Amino acid sequence: MPLPLIPIIAGATSLIAGALGVKKGLDAKGLYEQAKSIGGRAERRHREAVKEIEDRRTSVYEQLQALGRMKADAFSNTARYVVDQVRQARAVATLSDVDYASIPEEELVVFERESAQMSALDLVSDAGTSAALAALGAGGTYAAVGAAATASTGTAIASLSGAAATNATLAWLGGGSLATGGLGIAGGMWVLSGIVAGPALAITGFSLASRAEEAVTQAQFFAAEVDEKIAELQSLHALLDGTSNNINETEHALESLLVAFENARSQYEDRHRKADQSWSERSSQLNENQRAQDIEAFEFDLQRIIVVFKAIKEVVQTPLLDETHMPIVGLRERLSQVVDVCDSELFSARRGDHE
Amino acid sequence: MTRTLTKLASATKVLSSQSPRLGPDAAAGIEAMFQAWRDYQQVHETESTKREEIRARSGVEITRLREQAQLIREHFAMIFSERRDNFDKSFTLLETGLSNGDDRQIEAALTLIVTLVKESPIKQAAETMRTIKERVPGQIIDL
């Protein structure tokens, strides 16, 4: 009797298929979790990297602001002093015919204006397929049974109709009616549900697993993109560190020039004090030539102050980062591009996970 | 997996041979499942290959980017070390000039300081980065 074995084989086949489906479904779940985990880790790395570069950028920006303030103060203080001293000296020189024309009046006016502007200086600008296939497996089997089998009552199922045909079919699938020792209609329902669920589960499982494989690839692609962007940020970190060093050395240079300015200023003021004292003590004895020699000595000292001041002015007016080659300006744009790319990739990966 | 599915396919054939009228639809269901498995296998292989390619390409790109960053760091280290020496020399010259009242020394020192400040190491690095980016394989870049 080979026919009664068929439901058993069909049921067993369905069970195996169902088990396969469940296994592939679980595999798919695992793969989706893997994809989600890859995407999540990449997202965290991306977030941390962007925060790190933003923190560094902020810190360099603050350094630049501090340098800007230092430059403004340095220029304002030295320019004011130089303008005052040159004007005073010129007044004295008029009396003695000694020429103090190393800085013309027009230039002094410019210094005054620049000194006023300096305070405002801103040096930093910133599963239909699987359902269809499953339907084919279940519906096809059901119809085949109806066409091929003979009801346990001995009547060809195909000749039955309505509920009787359905019951006969189900009973056949169950190994015959209970009366003939089979599982009957209940057994048939159980087998049929297996036949429906088995291939459907298997196909769904394979389909899910395929999508999950694609999701893992998509997540890995996203993670690779993120890692590349993070690696790209290393160059920007290096540029920011370089900018920071450049700020430090400019500060150091400016400090040294200010020390030199103070040094020249003390020499000049000491000479003035001594001369004032000497002139008041020896006024009657000093002739015009001696006064002129003293004034010439003042001029040399003042010239030194002016030379140092001009160096300070050059340093103050030299932009650390200019708009044409300034990586920090590009950095802001590049950072936002990196964030945009990562965000859109992340959005796609998430959408892939949800589909 | 392959063995199990082959057995399922055999079972379908048995069903078909035992009951020729049962055959086509039942076999189609199992065949659909078998096809789904084959499709999955193909997807698995394709995606595994893609992932390998992504890993390999990304690995190469990340190494290139890290080397580029390292090169910039080394370039900066070299530039700033040289600049530090020059700044130190000019500061010493300035101090000496001021204490000796030697205006020529003072002017020389100030000129050197201003020149150093005006030579932007950032600009140099940006140019270096551009040269590195435009570099063709095998080309030696003179920094």
Side-chain angles (χ1 to χ4, degrees), chain A residues 235-262:
Chain A
S235 292
L236 300 179
H237 269 289
L239 279 174
L240 285 172
D241 289 348
T243 305
S244 175
N245 274 342
N246 196 200
I247 293 168
N248 290 336
E249 67 176 20
T250 305
E251 275 180 357
H252 192 200
L254 197 52
E255 278 166 6
S256 297
L257 290 176
L258 287 171
V259 167
F261 185 87
E262 282 305 311

Side-chain angles (χ1 to χ4, degrees), chain A residues 34-39 42 214-224 349 353:
Chain A
Q34 188 186 343
K36 195 176 168 188
S37 168
I38 291 170
E214 287 168 358
V216 171
T217 305
Q218 201 179 5
Q220 199 165 314
F221 179 78
F222 164 66
D353 279 355

Side-chain angles (χ1 to χ4, degrees), chain A residues 235-300:
Chain A
S235 292
L236 300 179
H237 269 289
L239 279 174
L240 285 172
D241 289 348
T243 305
S244 175
N245 274 342
N246 196 200
I247 293 168
N248 290 336
E249 67 176 20
T250 305
E251 275 180 357
H252 192 200
L254 197 52
E255 278 166 6
S256 297
L257 290 176
L258 287 171
V259 167
F261 185 87
E262 282 305 311
N263 190 314
R265 177 180 164 162
S266 333
Q267 272 188 321
Y268 175 72
E269 288 178 356
D270 278 354
R271 191 183 296 279
H272 251 292
R273 264 194 303 275
K274 283 175 188 166
D276 287 348
Q277 199 177 6
S278 170
W279 287 0
S280 62
E281 285 171 0
R282 303 177 293 144
S283 57
S284 56
Q285 299 160 16
L286 280 176
N287 60 34
E288 281 303 311
N289 278 343
Q290 285 170 316
R291 285 177 70 90
Q293 279 173 4
D294 278 351
I295 289 171
E296 197 175 24
F298 297 154
E299 188 186 19
F300 278 124

Side-chain angles (χ1 to χ4, degrees), chain A residues 213 217 241 249 304 314, chain B residues 44 47 73 83 103 118:
Chain A
E213 291 273 356
T217 305
D241 289 348
E249 67 176 20
R304 195 170 294 151
E314 289 275 345
Chain B
H44 174 72
E47 296 303 313
R73 285 195 182 283
R83 286 170 65 84
D103 288 319
K118 283 188 169 179

Side-chain angles (χ1 to χ4, degrees), chain A:
Chain A
M1 270 288 283
L3 264 178
L5 286 175
I6 292 173
I8 294 169
I9 293 168
T13 302
S14 286
L15 273 175
I16 293 166
L20 271 176
V22 170
K23 183 186 179 301
K24 289 319 291 179
L26 287 172
D27 288 351
K29 185 174 177 287
L31 286 171
Y32 270 118
E33 278 169 1
Q34 188 186 343
K36 195 176 168 188
S37 168
I38 291 170
R41 283 200 304 271
E43 191 187 0
R44 268 197 305 280
R45 286 199 300 279
H46 162 247
R47 210 167 36 232
E48 284 164 9
V50 168
K51 186 183 179 305
E52 202 179 332
I53 197 90
E54 276 295 331
D55 287 350
R56 186 72 183 112
R57 191 191 62 79
T58 304
S59 131
V60 172
Y61 182 82
E62 284 167 359
Q63 261 188 290
L64 272 171
Q65 284 182 313
L67 176 65
R69 284 192 295 272
M70 184 186 178
K71 279 182 168 185
D73 288 347
F75 184 80
S76 299
N77 296 336
T78 53
R80 204 173 300 130
Y81 184 80
V82 167
V83 169
D84 289 349
Q85 294 308 311
V86 170
R87 282 186 178 149
Q88 279 179 28
R90 188 166 286 148
V92 174
T94 307
L95 298 173
S96 63
D97 294 332
V98 174
D99 185 16
Y100 274 98
S102 63
I103 298 186
E105 180 58 28
E106 296 77 15
E107 200 170 348
L108 293 179
V109 171
V110 170
F111 289 164
E112 278 180 314
R113 192 180 62 234
E114 286 177 342
S115 176
Q117 287 170 345
M118 200 57 77
S119 56
L121 188 69
D122 182 12
L123 295 158
V124 190
S125 339
D126 291 352
T129 306
S130 81
L133 290 170
L136 173 65
T141 305
Y142 189 81
V145 172
T150 302
S152 53
T153 54
T155 310
I157 293 168
S159 69
L160 298 172
S161 62
T166 303
N167 287 346
T169 304
L170 293 173
W172 183 87
L173 280 166
S177 66
L178 289 170
T180 61
L183 298 172
I185 293 169
M189 285 296 278
W190 182 82
V191 172
L192 183 62
S193 66
I195 290 172
V196 172
L201 274 174
I203 291 166
T204 305
F206 287 131
S207 179
L208 279 173
S210 295
R211 296 295 305 274
E213 291 273 356
E214 287 168 358
V216 171
T217 305
Q218 201 179 5
Q220 199 165 314
F221 179 78
F222 164 66
E225 284 278 297
V226 166
D227 288 342
E228 284 168 30
K229 298 298 174 194
I230 291 171
E232 199 178 325
L233 291 180
Q234 292 307 307
S235 292
L236 300 179
H237 269 289
L239 279 174
L240 285 172
D241 289 348
T243 305
S244 175
N245 274 342
N246 196 200
I247 293 168
N248 290 336
E249 67 176 20
T250 305
E251 275 180 357
H252 192 200
L254 197 52
E255 278 166 6
S256 297
L257 290 176
L258 287 171
V259 167
F261 185 87
E262 282 305 311
N263 190 314
R265 177 180 164 162
S266 333
Q267 272 188 321
Y268 175 72
E269 288 178 356
D270 278 354
R271 191 183 296 279
H272 251 292
R273 264 194 303 275
K274 283 175 188 166
D276 287 348
Q277 199 177 6
S278 170
W279 287 0
S280 62
E281 285 171 0
R282 303 177 293 144
S283 57
S284 56
Q285 299 160 16
L286 280 176
N287 60 34
E288 281 303 311
N289 278 343
Q290 285 170 316
R291 285 177 70 90
Q293 279 173 4
D294 278 351
I295 289 171
E296 197 175 24
F298 297 154
E299 188 186 19
F300 278 124
D301 285 348
L302 187 56
Q303 282 290 10
R304 195 170 294 151
I305 290 174
I306 291 167
V307 167
V308 177
F309 164 70
K310 283 188 171 176
I312 289 172
K313 182 176 178 287
E314 289 275 345
V315 170
V316 166
Q317 290 182 331
T318 299
L320 198 72
L321 305 162
D322 80 35
E323 294 289 331
T324 54
H325 66 258
M326 191 164 77
I328 203 115
V329 164
L331 173 65
R332 194 186 286 274
E333 286 166 16
R334 292 178 74 184
L335 264 178
S336 58
Q337 280 169 10
V338 168
V339 172
D340 287 348
V341 168
C342 289
D343 285 348
S344 65
E345 291 293 340
L346 188 64
F347 176 72
S348 304
R350 278 178 176 158
R351 196 177 47 194
D353 279 355
H354 293 151
E355 279 172 0

